[in-house]
Amino acid sequence: MKNTAKPVALVTGATGGMGYEIVRDLSRSHQVIVVGRDAQKLAALAADFGAITWQQDITDYAELQTKVAALKSLDVLVNGAAIGLGYSVDNASAEHWEKYFSVNVIGHGMITSAALPLLRKSQGTIIFIGSGASTKPSPGSALYTATKHALKGLADTLRIDESAHSVRVVTVAPGPTDTKMLRESFKPEDYHPDQYIQPATIARVVRFVVDAPADTQLTDIAVRPRQEITR
């Protein structure tokens, strides 16, 4: 009898603007498990797209690892959780540094570690949502930029380490995207959403990565606004 079960995707940062659109798109073909903190938004994802919800902070390392290890299968992991308020070297405390790295890097490393046995079995795909900041930083964003450099380094090394298992490891690096995180970095009168990439566009790029032919992997994808923005 033919197996009709959907492939499984796990998405962190699912209650953000980008995450919501990624879940919307992947739910067309996958059973999606979503990780986020906002109970109301998680409920909407369950109601709208049939998502399985895990209300967790990405820094709940042990609990998330236990939940991932209990899964029967996994085909796609999208590491999308992030924080990005503007801290520079001269105004960031040690606590700020620790928080940024715990969310933007360590959390992804820990959940990925727990997911690797299942992804090796399925020869699945790991997608890290990086940032254009790793190649084109904005003033006053040293902490965020440092974590996105680190995340790219994690992905690049993991790709080498997992090549023997045929696990695809991809960094999708969006430029300025119309999300709450970006809007909060502007004064309202200075923000013009039509200048920025739409979250649904990033979801389409993630879909392109997931649907890539089995004989290839797309390693680094930079997604830039049609007209470059200088800040």
Side-chain angles (χ1 to χ4, degrees):
M1 184 175 179
K2 185 177 179 180
N3 183 7
T4 58
K6 285 185 173 182
V8 178
L10 175 61
V11 181
T12 72
T15 56
M18 244 184 266
Y20 183 90
E21 293 297 335
I22 290 169
V23 173
R24 181 204 296 272
D25 188 275
L26 287 179
S27 67
R28 296 188 293 112
S29 55
H30 291 67
Q31 173 62 66
V32 184
I33 302 167
V34 296
V35 181
R37 295 177 296 173
D38 189 313
Q40 186 174 359
K41 290 181 179 178
L42 288 171
L45 289 169
D48 294 345
F49 310 123
I52 297 169
T53 62
W54 292 354
Q55 187 178 4
Q56 302 277 168
D57 192 288
I58 192 67
T59 61
D60 294 337
Y61 308 137
E63 191 162 350
L64 277 173
Q65 285 191 309
T66 299
K67 285 186 173 182
V68 172
L71 294 175
K72 293 182 178 180
S73 65
L74 185 64
D75 301 275
V76 176
L77 172 61
V78 180
N79 285 302
I83 53 175
L85 296 176
Y87 286 104
S88 57
V89 171
D90 65 351
N91 68 3
S93 66
E95 289 76 17
H96 291 138
W97 282 101
E98 290 168 359
K99 182 177 181 179
Y100 268 64
F101 271 88
S102 66
V103 173
N104 291 2
V105 183
I106 300 172
H108 300 310
M110 298 304 289
I111 199 169
T112 300
S113 174
L116 279 176
L118 292 171
L119 291 164
R120 289 168 177 169
K121 185 176 181 180
S122 66
Q123 294 188 348
T125 301
I126 303 170
I127 300 171
F128 292 94
I129 302 299
S131 172
S134 64
T135 55
K136 191 175 182 180
S138 298
S141 64
L143 269 66
Y144 179 74
T145 299
T147 61
K148 290 302 184 177
H149 272 277
L151 192 67
K152 186 178 186 310
L154 188 163
D156 289 346
T157 308
L158 182 66
R159 185 179 308 114
I160 297 167
D161 292 344
E162 291 303 311
S163 62
H165 302 286
S166 296
V167 175
R168 301 195 289 195
V169 181
V170 185
T171 295
V172 173
T177 303
D178 181 27
T179 62
K180 180 181 177 183
M181 182 188 296
L182 184 66
R183 290 192 295 273
E184 289 177 344
S185 69
F186 283 84
K187 295 178 181 178
E189 62 271 19
D190 295 332
Y191 189 75
H192 306 287
D194 57 315
Q195 294 181 343
Y196 304 109
I197 301 164
Q198 294 304 301
T201 299
I202 305 304
R204 290 178 65 181
V205 175
V206 170
R207 165 63 65 179
F208 181 68
V209 169
V210 170
D211 288 348
D215 63 347
T216 191
Q217 63 176 328
L218 304 167
T219 58
D220 294 276
I221 301 180
V223 187
R224 303 299 305 172
R226 188 66 174 263
Q227 293 184 320
E228 284 291 351
I229 299 164
T230 302
R231 292 183 62 182

